Amino acid sequence: EASSGARPKISVAVMDFGNFPADRGTIENNDITEWINDNSPVEIEFISINRSEVTALYTAMLSAGNAPDIINDYAVEAFERFVIDESLLELTDLIDEHGPNIRALVPQDVLDWGMHEGGLYALPKTRNETAVPNWMQFIRQDWLDNLGLDMPNNFDELYDVMYAFTFNDPDGNGEDDTYGYGAGSGESEGGGPGFGGIERILCLYGAMRDRWLPYGPDGSYDYVGITENRREGYRYAKRLFDDGLVNPEFFTMTGQQARTEFITGKVGTLGMQVGSVSVTMLAAMKEIDPNANPRALKTLESPFGTFAYLHERSAQMHIMIPTTCSDPVAAIQYLDWQVGGAWEYITYGEEGVYFERVNGRIIRIGDPEERSHALNHAGNYCIAIGYRELISDLELQLEHNKDNMSDLEIQALETHIEASQESMSHEFKWWLPTLHLGLEMSNDLIPQMGPFSTRTFEEAVINKDMSIDDAYDRIIKEFDALGYQELRQVYNDRIIELGLG
């Protein structure tokens, strides 16, 4: 505290996903922000940042010199750009002097994600193990049972199942009104149109976006947007589209519309996050079909091997302090306070109401919908944390609460556990500790190359007059024109220089 006794004051960015409950206030002023300011050693002014525009907004603010004192972003490339632009403070000395909890409780593999050229320019937020397996494709097990089919093990078997789901009346209503594969995005009810189901295919082909992978014949790294794995993954997706096994309008559907198709039995699979099969979703599905039984689609063997669904990094986001910060010491003190224990109330609410301790672990209790409403958005305020939820905690939660849970609650949690374990049963390797190795050339070109590759392949999927090979040729030409071959050489030289190969 200052000698006057007044607490130092800083500003902190908080992401606005557009879903904060109106009856609890605003994103900048609510019960969570009130508790923080009543208990924090630092007074906080919260500044709302639109989640969909976060990187662009920070870029503009840092350029203008009016960014909040603490900012946070999920995009590794944004972090690298801000470091290169000399917009961020190096934090090592500040944390050594004012962040004892950070040093004691944040794992080194998490801190590594905040490193650049040997300096620590961000405090990455520790990601819960339960949040590592993020994406999953779910399938109607009851449709498999109705048609006497087994869970598919590879993409050839998946095609046969999707064909049967489309043409063999899997719901037994005598109508030709179903599609097999949910190619759209059901990641978020409020999300816009997308190709989320196709991205699940790319995951399992080892061609997930935004990575450099050792796909070269000599073990050298290529950007994933130009690899054979990605081309063949999109070729498989186009086959599903051309053969009528997906709704031909999937790419126009919002997340809510895609979920509605799955809930109402119009499509047999859907890509969602591992915990998306909620009590509410199950109740809606069973009202239409009492036998509805969505399950995790197991990890499929691709022509290139077996790859896991997306696993997120051990670091969830980058917490950064701009060079314009009004009080860097206060900023570190605030983050250290969160790591040291404040995370518990902010994230989990009141003990005995929303959580209990079992064998030293935190287990959620109470009505799920009430708890969700009360803690909605809490994780966006607790940007630094000293605890990591484990997948085994979900099993402990089921064991501890089962006698007080409804059948739907049990099924929802069992499905979440099954999806998490299925995803984690295979390795998803983040080949390098950072995305683009801090290369300015990479940071300049990948934001152009990545979206171009994705847009071109997606166009080929839904355009019957355009082949995947046409798209690939167009991508090769664009990449070469932008300077990909030089970038590839520089990137691989950098890997050798850093000893990462």
Side-chain angles (χ1 to χ4, degrees), residues 22 71 180 189 210 329 333 463 471 479:
I71 62 176
E189 292 185 9
D210 293 341
V329 170
Q333 289 174 334
N463 185 347
F479 274 34

Side-chain angles (χ1 to χ4, degrees), residues 2-33:
S3 58
S4 65
R7 291 184 300 166
K9 182 177 181 178
I10 60 172
S11 58
V12 176
V14 58
M15 291 189 193
D16 185 357
F17 288 74
N19 61 349
F20 194 87
D23 62 338
R24 288 176 49 208
T26 68
I27 194 71
E28 296 174 339
N29 187 13
N30 53 69
D31 53 316
I32 300 175
T33 63

